[in-house]
Amino acid sequence: HPAAAACGWVRAHLEAFGLRPGVVHVEVERDELLPGGSHRVLLAQYWNGVPVEAGDGRCSVDPSGRLRFVAAGVLGALAAPVASRLTRAAAIANAASAAGVPLWRAPADAGLWVRRRGGTDALAWAVRFSLASGLEPRVWVDAVSGTVLEIETGCANAVGLVYPSDPRGPLE
């Protein structure tokens, strides 16, 4: 299977990406069949069993099953705390208070993640609320101190180029 082969190759070469075997591992997040029979495989990075925000790899496998391309966006030398001192319920309560979301009106989901900001690694709860408006804001809460790290109000992280105008048009 192409996704398993790509994941296996990356796992066998973790040190080449600056990652420590036994501490960091990768899993297949998505396997897309492309026209012509090639596969685009997205790998997710985990550190001590916790998913790493923005830690991923992208692979291309040709129709014969040969790995053709690997682009690694993994985060090496992570130094986040290993255990949360904050319970899931406390993280949700802190996030709801900071975001001004009444818990009785908005279902919440929370999961632990490792995230790096400004060269500092943190173990953090990602708390997502499902609002009646259809928005799903995410609040990041430090899993050790309980401090709200960031409130995302419906924006999505993206990888790629952003153009202020249509790049196919004439230069201004």
Side-chain angles (χ1 to χ4, degrees):
H1 193 267
C7 190
W9 187 90
V10 171
R11 285 178 182 161
H13 296 89
L14 285 176
E15 290 178 353
F17 297 103
L19 304 176
R20 288 185 21 220
V23 175
V24 174
H25 73 276
V26 294
E27 296 290 334
V28 175
E29 185 172 313
R30 188 171 53 238
D31 178 7
E32 301 173 53
L33 180 62
L34 301 174
S38 292
H39 285 254
R40 180 173 37 215
V41 180
L42 178 63
L43 304 175
Q45 179 184 357
Y46 291 80
W47 180 78
N48 290 312
V50 178
V52 176
E53 181 195 29
D56 62 23
R58 289 160 171 47
C59 304
S60 178
V61 181
D62 71 18
S64 71
R66 186 172 178 183
L67 183 63
R68 291 296 193 174
F69 174 82
V70 176
V74 293
L75 301 179
L78 289 166
V82 178
S84 175
R85 290 188 196 159
L86 193 68
T87 65
R88 180 180 181 277
I92 291 171
N94 287 8
S97 176
V101 175
L103 284 175
W104 57 273
R105 295 184 67 186
D109 187 33
L112 277 173
W113 288 76
V114 174
R115 63 191 322 241
R116 178 175 283 166
R117 290 291 186 276
T120 302
D121 299 328
L123 183 64
W125 288 97
V127 181
R128 187 176 299 274
F129 299 101
S130 296
L131 304 180
S133 65
L135 292 176
E136 292 191 355
R138 182 168 52 179
V139 180
W140 291 94
V141 180
D142 187 286
V144 174
S145 69
T147 303
V148 172
L149 301 172
E150 183 177 358
I151 300 174
E152 298 172 355
T153 57
C155 295
N157 291 330
V159 175
L161 301 174
V162 177
Y163 298 95
S165 61
D166 187 340
R168 297 168 294 182
L171 293 176
E172 296 175 2

